[in-house]
Amino acid sequence: MKLLPALVLIPLLARSLYATGDTSANWPHWRGSRDNGSVETGTYPVKWNAETNLSWKLELPGKGCSTPIVWQNHIFVTAPVDGQDSILAVDWSGKLLWTTRFGAERSGKNAHGSGSNPSPVTDGKSIFVYYKSGEFAALDFDGKVLWQTNLVELYGRDTLYWDYGTSPVLTGRDVVIARLHHGESYLAAFDKSTGALHWKVARNYITPDEGDHSYATPILMKHESRETLLVLGGEHLTAHDADDGKVLWSCGDFNPQGKRNWVPVASPVIAGDMVIVPYGRGTRLHGIKLGGTADVTITNRIWMREDTGSFCSTPAEYKGRVYLLHDHGPDRGVIECIDPTTGKTLLRDELPRTSSEFYASPTVADGKIYAVREDGVVFVARIEPKFDLLAENDMGEQIIASPVLVANHLLLRGEKHLFCIGNKR
């Protein structure tokens, strides 16, 4: 681990702005109410299988890799229906309430991918969706389309090597889309009520091959009392004013050796006044102090490790600590707890290993971590005060989407089914 010098930094109280209402009852965004992949209240299931101890399972109409979201009595999940981009609404009994279709699906390039990789997002009033095809829309809770446009038709196709997976992000006023790839990359904000474009800013950097691509999702946070968007891609972490997209500060030097194909897939996670950034295809982990102005590359990188990280799975923050799931390579299945202020490892253990890898991001609740392997095995392990593997639950089908823990239930989106495990609401 490299500890890096830090100059005087602007004090900052950083936090996600997704927390809305009763955070135990809602999961409005793919990483939850606090945008950190964890929940600190509730009691969640530990042992089950695909045939017993299920509340219900619902057959899905087509393949998608997006994570379900929840607002009170509604569960929303995107999937293709008869070759069309669609969203399904389900209640807590597993009943399908409605399906809304938008247009022709653009299917995935990768065997694990799909045209429905981005997850929906909601503010409790409307639901917002985006698909690889470029279809971009807002709906009400009855499934009525409020507005719809196609960003591929407006701004051209993405040039990503693999399937677009960045999810929309909400501010108080707008729904924001980030598209970072080779060519004209951009960040754009659209009015939540009308879909009208408020601003669109270019975000282009010259990088080695694939370094200008990104599959990470931005984070909304507070910066000096204003809404700020954190964006990772193009070998830079940038903070943008949510009102106009202006860059407030930028941190670079994530690939000083100019490695090819160092594309970010996992998103960063905020822990206190630090943002933890996985990089280098699972070989690097950076601790960046939030705040400052202009170029903070030298001042704000507090530590960097070259012996740990994650490639596809986004870390989770829980009670001030950061939990990594090593998803690929020789360390796949390793669970590691990191002190975000120092970068030091506080806990390290590993799950049973097979040839299968991990694509889903880990979720933490009730002192336990839920980690889903691509072959559909869901591991549940206690992480405090020490690591203890509690269960291996085989769902019998591939799972790429991240687990959702909300209202004492676990939701799992598999290749063929949406599963609900839990007994009390």
Side-chain angles (χ1 to χ4, degrees):
M1 179 179 71
K2 294 182 180 179
L3 289 173
L4 303 171
L7 304 180
V8 177
L9 304 176
I10 295 175
L12 176 74
L13 178 61
R15 61 186 178 89
S16 166
L17 298 185
Y18 277 103
T20 309
D22 181 1
T23 58
S24 66
N26 300 320
W27 194 272
H29 168 72
W30 83 284
R31 291 306 275 160
S33 293
R34 296 180 301 159
D35 203 18
N36 66 350
S38 76
V39 59
E40 294 188 13
T41 59
T43 303
Y44 293 89
V46 173
K47 294 183 179 181
W48 68 91
N49 64 46
E51 301 301 330
T52 63
N53 302 324
L54 295 180
S55 295
W56 47 264
K57 69 176 181 179
L58 175 70
E59 186 174 1
L60 294 172
K63 183 178 180 179
C65 300
S66 60
T67 296
I69 63 167
V70 177
W71 192 272
Q72 296 178 357
N73 295 321
H74 289 76
I75 302 163
F76 302 104
V77 62
T78 57
V81 177
D82 297 329
Q84 292 188 303
D85 293 326
S86 305
I87 183 169
L88 289 65
V90 182
D91 69 16
W92 279 106
S93 71
K95 177 185 176 183
L96 180 64
L97 300 175
W98 49 259
T99 300
T100 299
R101 308 181 188 195
F102 300 100
E105 176 197 17
R106 186 180 168 202
S107 58
K109 299 178 184 176
N110 188 293
H112 296 305
S114 72
S116 297
N117 281 355
S119 300
V121 62
T122 183
D123 58 4
K125 300 174 183 178
S126 304
I127 310 108
F128 303 88
V129 292
Y130 186 74
Y131 301 87
K132 178 179 176 177
S133 65
E135 291 298 332
F136 179 39
L139 307 90
D140 66 17
F141 273 58
D142 294 320
K144 178 184 176 182
V145 176
L146 303 175
W147 53 260
Q148 181 179 352
T149 189
N150 189 293
L151 300 190
V152 166
E153 294 176 1
L154 288 174
Y155 306 125
R157 286 193 174 193
D158 68 75
T159 60
L160 294 166
Y161 282 2
W162 303 113
D163 300 310
Y164 186 94
T166 301
S167 299
V169 175
L170 299 183
T171 71
R173 181 188 67 179
D174 296 327
V175 51
V176 178
I177 296 290
R179 196 168 78 178
L180 310 182
H181 58 164
H182 184 66
E184 184 64 16
S185 293
Y186 65 82
L187 189 68
F190 302 83
D191 187 283
K192 289 195 292 187
S193 298
T194 67
L197 178 68
H198 277 150
W199 53 260
K200 178 174 175 283
V201 296
R203 195 182 176 287
N204 299 311
Y205 295 96
I206 297 173
T207 70
D209 192 33
E210 205 180 2
D212 47 5
H213 295 203
S214 179
Y215 302 88
T217 294
I219 302 173
L220 182 69
M221 66 169 206
K222 204 81 164 180
H223 175 97
E224 298 177 352
S225 301
R226 51 185 173 176
E227 288 184 317
T228 302
L229 292 153
L230 275 185
V231 181
L232 178 64
E235 301 184 351
H236 285 75
L237 178 72
T238 51
H240 299 255
D241 189 321
D243 284 341
D244 57 14
K246 180 182 177 182
V247 176
L248 302 172
W249 55 261
S250 174
C251 181
D253 204 26
F254 285 94
N255 185 12
Q257 296 175 323
K259 299 277 190 179
R260 298 175 65 245
N261 307 122
W262 269 23
V263 54
V265 179
S267 301
V269 66
I270 291 175
D273 62 354
M274 298 287 290
V275 57
I276 309 307
V277 182
Y279 217 84
R281 301 180 70 90
T283 66
R284 301 290 188 274
L285 193 67
H286 299 256
I288 310 297
K289 186 85 168 179
L290 291 165
T293 57
D295 188 344
V296 301
T297 300
I298 296 175
T299 58
N300 287 36
R301 182 178 276 102
I302 305 304
W303 55 263
M304 189 268 286
R305 291 184 57 172
E306 299 176 318
D307 62 343
T308 191
S310 60
F311 181 27
C312 293
S313 66
T314 295
E317 183 273 337
Y318 180 72
K319 296 184 178 180
R321 296 179 173 181
V322 172
Y323 291 86
L324 296 177
L325 171 61
H326 294 247
D327 43 43
H328 289 67
D331 285 342
R332 67 182 177 276
V334 168
I335 301 287
E336 192 168 5
C337 175
I338 302 290
D339 182 332
T341 60
T342 66
K344 292 182 178 178
T345 295
L346 303 176
L347 175 152
R348 181 182 169 101
D349 218 305
E350 68 179 87
L351 303 169
R353 186 177 301 181
T354 68
S355 59
S356 295
E357 297 176 324
F358 294 80
Y359 289 90
S361 300
T363 306
V364 182
D366 192 27
K368 306 176 187 69
I369 192 166
Y370 290 71
V372 184
R373 203 167 58 199
E374 65 173 316
D375 61 0
V377 174
V378 183
F379 296 98
V380 184
R382 189 175 302 282
I383 53 174
E384 50 181 21
K386 62 180 183 178
F387 184 89
D388 182 20
L389 181 60
L390 302 176
E392 299 180 39
N393 304 292
D394 190 350
M395 303 309 297
E397 64 186 74
Q398 185 184 78
I399 300 180
I400 303 297
S402 301
V404 170
L405 294 164
V406 61
N408 301 310
H409 285 66
L410 167 64
L411 294 173
L412 295 168
R413 190 259 178 79
E415 184 177 17
K416 299 178 180 178
H417 297 89
L418 176 64
F419 299 92
C420 179
I421 303 103
N423 301 307
K424 183 178 70 173
R425 271 185 52 79

